């Protein structure tokens, strides 16, 4: 199987079927071995009724006990060998499925890392979780066709050849009847693909909602919105359940026909063989052999139906994986260097300009509008934004990332101890953070009490997303991490939205001191932060409407005053 550190290769993302074939081609030796073992196992299953017929016709019926013992020993030897083949087939196919599973996980994780910050802007967390939880396993199961699927075809042809030697009529019935069974099941497999696709899409939406709930349950409780979200989740889960019933209905028909039709076919062929035996056209031993051959065929037919079922589901899952693998990170077409001196960042779409060396605050009634401005200024979305008059698209992306940091208030926090979460390293050279720098950043973000209040201080373990901390503590930890990066330009989205008034005032004052002389822009509607900004930019519907200090805008802009001071009379 693929090693944990082995390159998984370049997946074929031209479609679901091609992706499944790529997984097979990545392990040719094991796939061929699975096909050979599966074929040998099923062919030897067909050898059992042949040996039984010989034991009856050449040993039991004429009374030749030596021949009977010889054929019985052969039957035992073949059965024992076939049991060993079955074990090896199962082990090989398990490795085939596990390789496909691990390989898919690696390419999906690699793609997530490749997308980086663009991941959350290109797809939802629920989509990635659904791929990892369900689709990967479904894809692996679809590769069952490599072993038993190929073996079923070989066994079918072998049994047909053996039946020709017994009765051409029976051989014709079998050769025509088995494909007819498969064709009868075919339409249900097509319906299953459609129902399964819709089910997977709804599942992704619901998983995304679960992820959102897990991250914002405390906020929802505080705002009184838990009931609304619970009702929406209930509606979505009902839709998913209804779609699951549709999938289950089609699946039940597929599985019922996969077992019922071969059994009915066995009864028909056995009846025909019994009539031929009664007429003397075939011997009793051949009658037993025909029954055994057709009984053996029940297995391959069931495998065909099962493989069709697994492939239908596997293709749906593979298409989701392929759709994710086709996503591209933000294209880097820049060829120019970053400005050598502190310079103005400008967003023509909104009219916002962030002056160098100043603390600028963006205030908007719609936080998403001001956050979108910072996204464009940090070049996380395509735009006409400029830096020192040069379009950001023309500047090399690594240099933009080196000089401009977008600090999202919902940025991921990985599991580890507190020191590892906030200060693993800094910059491309992986420079270690000194104790004094760490202490200064903790003080600036008013996060000293967090480290002091934990049992092991900075060595205390943190859950993923620091869920063992409160929302305000997590926000300050994210700010500490941003300050330790010490970027030339810091763009912070709502850095104090979850803090109480006293803590927020301290953070605003200390942030100004810590970033003195460096370019900083924050989005906020907090008067405590706005009052300490050098420049406040007031946005309406994403466009710059007024510029000035907090006090100046309070006196001259009624809309701004209504937004930040909650002036009831003005709002009326």
């Amino acid at each position: 199987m693929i090693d944990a550190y082995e390159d998984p290769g370049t997946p074929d993302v031209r479609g679901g079927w091609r992706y499944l074939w790529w997984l097979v081609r990545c392990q040719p030796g094991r796939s061929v071995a699975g096909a050979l073992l599966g074929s040998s196992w099923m062919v030897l299953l067909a050898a059992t009724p042949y040996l039984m017929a010989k034991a009856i016709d050449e040993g039991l019926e004429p009374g030749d006990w030596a021949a009977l013992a010889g054929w019985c020993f052969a039957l035992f030897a073949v059965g024992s060998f076939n049991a060993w083949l079955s074990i090896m087939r199962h082990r090989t196919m398990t490795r085939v499925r596990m390789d496909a599973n691990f390989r898919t996980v690696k390419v999906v994780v690699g793609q997530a890392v490749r997308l980086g910050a663009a991941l959350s802007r290109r797809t939802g967390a629920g989509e990635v979780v659904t791929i990892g939880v369900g689709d990967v396993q479904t894809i692996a199961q679809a590769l069952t066709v490599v072993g038993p699927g190929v073996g079923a075809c070989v066994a079918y042809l072998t049994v047909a050849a053996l039946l020709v030697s017994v009765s051409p009529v029976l051989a014709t019935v079998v050769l025509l009847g088995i494909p007819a069974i498969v064709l009868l099941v075919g339409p249900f497999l097509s319906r299953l693909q459609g129902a399964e696709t819709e089910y997977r899409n709804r599942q992704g939406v619901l998983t995304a909602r679960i992820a959102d709930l897990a991250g914002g349950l405390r906020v929802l409780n505080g705002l009184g919105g838990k009931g609304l979200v619970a009702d929406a989740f209930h509606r979505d889960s009902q839709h998913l359940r209804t779609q699951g019933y549709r999938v289950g209905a089609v699946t039940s028909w597929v599985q019922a026909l996969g077992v019922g039709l071969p059994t009915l076919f066995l009864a028909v062929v056995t009846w025909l063989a019994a009539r031929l035996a009664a007429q003397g056209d075939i011997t009793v031993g051949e009658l037993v052999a025909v029954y055994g051959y057709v009984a053996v065929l029940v297995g391959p037919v069931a495998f065909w139906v099962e493989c069709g079922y697994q492939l239908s589901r596997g293709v749906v899952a593979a298409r989701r994986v392929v759709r994710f693998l086709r996503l591209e990170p933000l294209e880097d077409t820049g060829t120019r260097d970053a400005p050598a001196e502190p310079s103005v960042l400008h967003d023509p779409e909104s009219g916002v300009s962030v002056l160098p060396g100043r603390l600028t605050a963006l205030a908007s009634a719609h936080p998403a509008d001001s956050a979108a401005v910072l996204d464009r200024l940090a070049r996380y979305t395509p735009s006409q934004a400029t830096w020192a008059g040069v379009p950001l698209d023309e500047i090399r992306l690594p240099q933009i990332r080196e000089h401009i940091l977008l600090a999202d208030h919902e940025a991921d926090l990985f599991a580890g101890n507190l020191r590892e979460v906030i200060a693993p390293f800094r910059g491309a050279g992986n420079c270690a953070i000194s104790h004094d720098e760490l202490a200064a950043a903790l003080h600036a973000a008013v996060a000293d009490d967090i480290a002091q209040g934990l049992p092991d201080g900075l060595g205390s373990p943190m859950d993923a997303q620091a869920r063992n901390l409160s929302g305000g503590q997590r926000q300050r930890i994210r700010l500490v991490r941003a300050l330790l990066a010490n970027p030339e330009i810091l763009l912070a989205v709502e850095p104090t939205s979850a803090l109480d008034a006293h803590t927020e005032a301290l953070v605003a004052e200390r942030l100004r001191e810590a970033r003195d002389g460096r370019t900083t822009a924050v989005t906020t509607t907090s008067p405590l932060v706005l009052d300490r900004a050098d420049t406040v930019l007031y946005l309406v519907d994403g466009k710059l409407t007024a510029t000035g200090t907090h006090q100046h805008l309070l006196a001259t802009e009624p809309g701004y005053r209504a937004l930040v001071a909650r002036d009831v009379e003005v709002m009326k």
Side-chain angles (χ1 to χ4, degrees), residues 438-460:
L438 182 56
L442 287 168
H443 176 75
V446 196
D448 318 66
D449 62 313
I450 300 175
Q452 294 168 2
L454 293 172
D456 298 320
L458 292 173
S460 301

Side-chain angles (χ1 to χ4, degrees), residues 66-312:
L68 179 62
W71 287 113
C72 287
F73 176 77
L75 190 62
F76 172 77
V78 169
S80 300
F81 179 68
N82 212 23
W84 177 81
L85 280 180
S86 178
I87 294 172
M88 299 307 298
R89 174 196 63 84
H90 182 74
R91 286 183 176 179
T92 303
M93 289 311 304
T94 298
R95 290 189 174 96
V96 168
R97 289 189 291 269
M98 290 179 68
D99 184 278
N101 190 315
F102 296 154
R103 198 175 297 273
T104 300
V105 167
K106 291 200 71 171
V107 297
V108 168
V109 171
Q111 172 71 349
V113 173
R114 175 171 170 263
L115 290 173
L119 175 61
S120 58
R121 295 169 172 83
R122 299 296 178 85
T123 187
E127 180 74 7
V128 181
V129 171
T130 302
I131 289 174
V133 173
D135 292 336
V136 169
Q137 185 65 26
T138 303
I139 289 171
Q141 284 297 121
L143 294 196
T144 300
V145 70
V146 172
V150 174
C153 295
V154 174
Y156 167 67
L157 296 175
T158 301
V159 169
L162 290 172
L163 282 173
V164 168
S165 63
V166 176
S167 170
V169 174
L170 292 175
T172 302
V173 171
V174 171
L175 285 171
L176 296 179
I178 298 299
I181 292 174
V182 176
L183 289 175
L184 285 173
V185 180
F188 289 94
L189 296 179
S190 299
R191 286 183 57 190
L192 179 62
Q193 276 197 39
E196 186 80 18
T197 300
E198 177 65 21
Y199 178 79
R200 290 291 182 183
N201 291 336
R202 290 186 180 276
Q203 190 179 42
V205 171
L206 197 62
T207 307
R209 183 153 292 173
I210 292 173
D212 293 340
L213 282 172
L217 194 57
R218 291 182 182 178
V219 177
L220 287 172
N221 277 327
L223 297 175
K226 184 174 67 173
L228 293 174
V229 176
D231 291 341
F233 183 83
H234 178 72
R235 287 194 301 271
D236 286 345
S237 63
Q238 293 301 309
H239 291 320
L240 180 64
R241 185 181 66 176
T242 301
Q243 188 62 30
Y245 286 153
R246 294 193 182 100
V247 173
V250 180
T251 301
S252 64
W253 275 103
V254 171
Q255 294 179 342
L257 291 174
V259 175
L261 288 179
T263 304
L264 181 61
F265 180 70
L266 172 62
V268 171
V269 174
T270 302
W271 179 77
L272 289 174
R275 285 182 58 85
L276 292 175
Q279 295 169 0
D281 294 333
I282 61 175
T283 66
V284 175
E286 288 174 331
L287 172 62
V288 173
V290 168
Y291 178 82
Y293 293 151
V294 180
V296 167
L297 277 182
V298 172
V301 174
F303 270 119
W304 277 342
V305 175
E306 177 67 17
C307 288
Y309 168 68
Q310 295 292 355
L311 280 175
S312 296

Side-chain angles (χ1 to χ4, degrees), residues 40 42 64 96 99 188 191 204 254 271 320 369 375 488 497:
S40 301
M42 286 198 174
D64 188 342
V96 168
D99 184 278
F188 289 94
R191 286 183 57 190
V254 171
W271 179 77
R320 291 171 62 89
D369 291 342
D375 263 1
E488 177 185 332
S497 59

Side-chain angles (χ1 to χ4, degrees), residues 349-381:
E349 185 173 335
S350 63
V352 167
S353 292
V354 177
L355 301 180
R358 298 173 66 84
L359 174 58
T360 303
L362 282 69
S364 172
H366 303 288
D369 291 342
S370 52
V373 173
L374 296 194
D375 263 1
R376 294 193 290 270
L377 292 176
R379 200 187 159 192
Y380 280 108
T381 55

